[in-house]
Amino acid sequence: MTFTPTRRSILGAAALSVPTLALASCGGGEAERNAEGKIELTMAAWSIATTPEFDVIVDGFEAANPDATIVLKEYSADDYDTQLTTDLSANSAPDVFPLKNLEQYFYYQSNGALADLTDQASSLREDGNIELDLLDLDGGIYALPYRQDSWVVYYNKEMFAAAGIDEPDGSWTWDDFADMAEELTGALEGTDYQAKGAYMHNWQSIVQSFALAQTDGADLASGDLSYMAPYYERLLAMQDAGSTETFSTVDSQSLSYQAQFGTQKAAMMPMGTWYIGTLLAQRESGDADEFEWGMAPAPQQTSGAGPITFGDPTTLAINAELSGEKLEAAQSFLDYIVSEDCSKALAEIGITPSYFSDDVVDTIFSLDGMPDDDLSRTSFADTQVEAENPIGEFTNDIVTILEDTHSEILTESSPVDVALTKAEEQLDNEGLTA
């Protein structure tokens, strides 16, 4: 198999020394069973010691399939795609491997790295408890999700009470959110809390992906970025009002969103549901304070819309080179990761799984430290989730350009309209628009 790296992968590879992985069996061509007579699969992973989800899904599968075993192969969390691309090019990649998000999905599939799972996914399409539409690539499915995070607003119930302000009711627009952040900032000055009304992290998705998800007809590859303008103008106004830390402060001081909310430096914070497990663990370890908190749906651009939010699935793909017993074992493994049993096991450690049923939602909300109000449950389990960025040939390159645009706007180096026009011209000049 010849794998053509993406532009980002080529750039990253120049500065990265990629270790050679010693794989028990690559590509399904040799030693279908190990010395114990088990079918052995290798699986890519990252930060294994601090990412318990990998052991959870492997242990659950092996318990249900004693004839198979899975060996985890650790990659760098920061350079995962670069290293995986290198191993795919060398035909030495693991048998199954996660895709962190949808940004690289097109490239892996178009280069023939992913086994076609369309037939395997057909029955899942009929099951309302799991969402596959985000993974549809020209009618085909080439990876299956084991988790499906989405963005919500975390809020500190005790700060709202101290400020004498009503908690979110699930109907907020982004203008309401901005107004509330300013009101909270002022009201909290007379309390024991030294906090801002909101914390907006410095990722581009916090502006661009909400704008894309919540704007009818918006298309990242259309060459028209004007739909992002009101979202940027609003955030700039929040920075000027002092109701959130500025982009420059977040960047220069390397502020962590976990500390900003977990140690009560902000009353509200838009963030993905992956933060649930982190917050619960940090409360237990003492790295986060203990306080009453909740979740509200992502605010909307217009009143009465949605709730529409965004979030990419985290998926597992099968190496397209697999065949025979190893391919069958890999397919069984993917059947397991989309099952209710696997999702309940992930929910038990605070991970947002891919299979949503009442039992799964009950499992995660039964964890110690979780909120117990209806709005938090609805925000977690009942929203329309759009892709963080759409699947497409040029998505990775477009996102790279828009990262610079994001920084340029929020550091106030250029006015919003000037920066967006400049980005539109660059996308057009580089042939990245439809």
Side-chain angles (χ1 to χ4, degrees), residues 116-342:
D116 191 338
L117 306 178
T118 308
D119 290 342
Q120 186 174 354
S122 60
S123 61
L124 296 175
R125 287 182 176 277
E126 301 172 6
D127 188 332
N129 292 312
I130 194 163
E131 176 59 58
L132 292 180
D133 287 348
L134 296 182
L135 292 162
D136 192 303
L137 181 53
D138 296 328
I141 300 292
Y142 301 90
L144 295 181
Y146 64 89
R147 57 184 298 172
Q148 175 61 71
D149 290 290
S150 62
W151 279 60
V152 299
V153 172
Y154 295 82
Y155 68 96
N156 186 317
K157 291 172 175 278
E158 295 180 16
M159 284 192 189
F160 272 81
I165 296 173
D166 291 339
E167 294 180 17
D169 62 5
S171 68
W172 285 1
T173 64
W174 282 110
D175 286 340
D176 294 330
F177 175 85
D179 291 343
M180 188 57 64
E182 186 170 357
E183 185 177 350
L184 280 162
T185 301
L188 290 171
E189 289 179 356
T191 71
D192 293 335
Y193 295 100
Q194 301 297 314
K196 291 187 178 294
Y199 177 74
M200 307 293 281
H201 201 46
N202 59 351
W203 295 331
Q204 68 197 93
S205 57
I206 206 167
V207 178
Q208 296 175 5
S209 295
F210 274 125
L212 183 65
Q214 295 179 352
T215 306
D216 288 340
D219 182 354
L220 194 65
S222 70
D224 178 8
L225 303 175
S226 60
Y227 63 90
M228 295 183 183
Y231 290 81
Y232 273 115
E233 289 163 355
R234 184 184 302 109
L235 183 49
L236 286 169
M238 290 178 65
Q239 290 187 166
D240 290 343
S243 58
T244 185
E245 297 287 359
T246 66
F247 176 90
S248 297
T249 298
V250 176
D251 211 36
S252 64
Q253 297 185 14
S254 299
L255 297 184
S256 105
Y257 69 84
Q258 298 96 329
Q260 291 298 304
F261 188 77
T263 60
Q264 303 190 86
K265 294 180 176 64
M268 302 184 293
M269 180 178 75
M271 190 52 61
T273 51
W274 63 79
Y275 178 53
I276 292 173
T278 301
L279 178 58
L280 297 182
Q282 289 186 335
R283 284 162 60 100
E284 186 173 344
S285 68
D287 292 326
D289 299 339
E290 289 197 14
F291 55 89
E292 294 296 318
W293 61 282
M295 291 179 285
Q300 304 296 296
Q301 179 64 6
T302 57
S303 180
I308 301 171
T309 187
F310 74 90
D312 280 355
T314 308
T315 63
L316 276 182
I318 297 176
N319 191 322
E321 297 292 301
L322 257 61
S323 61
E325 284 188 322
K326 293 189 74 172
L327 176 59
E328 293 176 3
Q331 290 171 333
S332 295
F333 182 40
L334 265 65
D335 279 337
Y336 173 71
I337 65 152
V338 294
S339 69
E340 185 173 27
D341 286 345
C342 181

Side-chain angles (χ1 to χ4, degrees), residues 346-370:
L346 289 170
E348 287 173 356
I349 61 169
I351 298 295
T352 305
S354 61
Y355 189 102
F356 277 77
S357 66
D358 288 342
D359 283 348
V360 170
V361 176
D362 287 343
T363 297
I364 200 163
F365 275 87
S366 68
L367 298 175
D368 186 38
M370 283 292 290

